[in-house]
């Protein structure tokens, strides 16, 4: 619960004024978009698999109706 409230407060890590330009330069360099895409790729794959499973699935009761005796 403390982690959720900490995440919702919006506090961000701050670098000292001396280190801040170097930190920003290290993050926002020419490789930024590639690293962002690689970071987001697993979420996109999982979302695609879930979407395809949902579209192909239907309900379990419709596929395997119970036997009536």
């Amino acid at each position: 619960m403390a982690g959720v409230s900490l995440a919702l407060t919006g506090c961000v890590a701050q670098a000292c004024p001396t280190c801040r330009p170097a930190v920003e330069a290290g993050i926002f360099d020419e490789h930024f978009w590639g690293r962002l895409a690689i970071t987001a790729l697993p979420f996109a794959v999982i979302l695609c698999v879930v979407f395809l499973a949902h579209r192909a699935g239907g309900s379990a009761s419709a596929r395997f109706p119970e036997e009536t005796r």
Side-chain angles (χ1 to χ4, degrees), residues 5-24:
S5 60
L6 180 63
L8 294 176
T9 58
C11 296
V12 287
Q14 302 261 339
C16 68
T18 306
C19 299
R20 186 174 189 86
V23 170
E24 288 179 353

Side-chain angles (χ1 to χ4, degrees), residues 1-60:
M1 186 66 172
V4 173
S5 60
L6 180 63
L8 294 176
T9 58
C11 296
V12 287
Q14 302 261 339
C16 68
T18 306
C19 299
R20 186 174 189 86
V23 170
E24 288 179 353
I27 294 171
F28 300 111
D29 60 359
E30 65 272 4
H31 302 291
F32 174 73
W33 292 109
R35 291 178 184 149
L36 182 64
I38 290 171
T39 303
L41 185 63
F43 298 104
V45 169
I46 290 170
L47 182 65
C48 184
V49 168
V50 168
F51 175 75
L52 291 175
H54 176 71
R55 295 259 314 178
S59 67

